[in-house]
Structure formats: C-alpha cells, structure tokens
Amino acid sequence: MIELRRGGSLLARLLLVALVALAVQLGTSGVASADPAASTWLKLRMCESSNRYATNTGNGYYGAYQFDLPTWRSVGGQGRPDLASPAEQDYRALYLYRMRGWQPWECAGMLGLRADADARSKRVPTYAESAYIGGGAAPAPAPSPAAGKPAWPGVVYAYGDCAPALKTFQLRMNDFGYGFTGTGCYYDKTRDAVLDLQRANGIKDSGRLGPQTWNAAWDGKAPR
C-alpha cells in the first residue's frame, strides 16, 4: 500500500507538471514577437531610396525598399513595387523580413541592423501588424539656390541618425565638393563634413549637427 501511494503521488505530480506546462504554452502562444522599430525601417528606407516610395531609376529595383520583381512576387506582391501604396510596400517589406531577415537588403548590413526574434520566423504578417511602420511621409525636398537657407529642423543629429533633414544637409555640402548621394543617414562621411564645417567656422568640433553648424552650411565659411 505504501508503494502504491508513492506511485500515485508521483503520477499526480507528473500530471500537475504537464498541466502547468500546457497552461504556460497556451498563455504565451498568442504573444507576438517583436518586429524592428519604425525608426529602424526609416533608416533602411533612407539608405535604400531616400525614403521615396515611388522611386524607379531604371536599375531593376523599385520603391522605398528597392525590391526587384522576383523578390516582390515571392512575398505576394502584385504589379510593380513603386506603383504600390506605401502601406502595401511596408507590408511586403515586413513579410520579406519575416521570411529572410535583413539578408535581402545591402543597406541593412551597411547600417548594422540587428535581427530580432521575428527574423526568418516564417510568420506571415497581417496588414494590422505592418501598419506601425508608418511609411509614406515625403522626405524634405533638397533646397534650390533660389529657395535660400532651409529652416533649422529643431533636432541635433549625431552619428547613426537618419532623417530627411540630413539629406538636405548632405546635398548642401555637395556644393563644397563632398559628393554625397543623399542617403539621409549620418555616418563617417557626414561626420567628416560636419567637423570640417565646424572647424572652418570656429564652432566647437563636437561632430554633432546642431543649429550653429546647420546655419554655417548656408551662411558660414566654406569648409574647404
């Protein structure tokens, strides 16, 4: 009888453990994994296409995320990416990320983007899940000489930032021979231009693009 009770007690404990494990599984099965932040997607778009959803330069890559047609179709895209809505492009980009991670995008490697738990998860997203990406905002246009100095954007930019205003600054610095393509992302070449501009105009060479440095790009001494 003692052995029988011990066996029954062990069986009860095993059943309890199994029930707890099942409850944990059921309780967590609906929790969505994290996807890249909206700011991360913006960095990617700025690098790939200067955040232009309708871009088509004739090189076989289209839209904000620079899909080629086979890749676009592999995630269910119809027609041409640059003709699709921003919401559709955002959705297909998230779909691709969940299938293949950052691997399809060369800019992801350049930017040092890190994959999270949803990369290559093979989970097909819903449009509601991709809505947070929130793309489609038009980048700030590059100023023409007739337009004069653009207003200070009100943000101090530093290494690793990406923003339309940074593209405006980069294109302005091309007037001094820097040869930016206008990615809108602040990395080594942009930092060098900022430091050159600061040193030429007696501004503390912090490497941060603040209001004094911004104004100097239009009103100050040439850095070269």
Side-chain angles (χ1 to χ4, degrees), residues 47-211:
C47 179
E48 290 284 347
S49 66
S50 297
N51 199 27
R52 293 177 296 171
Y53 280 82
T55 190
N56 174 11
T57 62
N59 65 353
Y61 296 89
Y62 307 92
Y65 299 95
Q66 291 293 276
F67 278 97
D68 61 20
L69 292 180
T71 304
W72 176 251
R73 290 166 184 161
S74 75
V75 290
Q78 302 293 318
R80 230 174 48 208
D82 59 307
L83 301 178
S85 68
E88 181 69 14
Q89 292 184 49
D90 291 343
Y91 172 75
R92 300 300 165 186
L94 180 59
Y95 195 149
L96 181 60
Y97 174 79
R98 289 189 179 181
M99 297 300 113
R100 297 170 57 187
W102 292 123
Q103 181 271 330
W105 289 286
E106 182 179 359
C107 274
M110 294 169 56
L111 295 170
L113 302 185
R114 295 184 178 182
D116 59 21
D118 252 348
R120 300 185 178 88
S121 67
K122 309 303 182 186
R123 292 196 312 113
V124 177
T126 65
Y127 282 93
E129 287 178 307
S130 64
Y132 82 94
I133 295 174
S144 65
K149 181 180 69 178
W152 159 242
V155 178
V156 176
Y157 295 106
Y159 196 94
D161 289 337
C162 290
L166 282 169
K167 177 182 177 180
T168 300
F169 174 80
Q170 290 169 339
L171 296 179
R172 169 58 179 168
M173 297 307 288
N174 284 349
D175 292 342
F176 304 115
Y178 281 86
F180 285 106
T181 58
T183 64
C185 290
Y186 192 130
Y187 290 106
D188 292 346
K189 191 173 181 180
T190 303
R191 180 178 59 190
D192 290 344
V194 167
L195 288 171
D196 289 346
L197 191 61
Q198 289 173 337
R199 290 163 183 163
N201 288 275
I203 302 168
K204 182 180 178 182
D205 54 351
S206 64
R208 297 171 68 85
L209 179 53

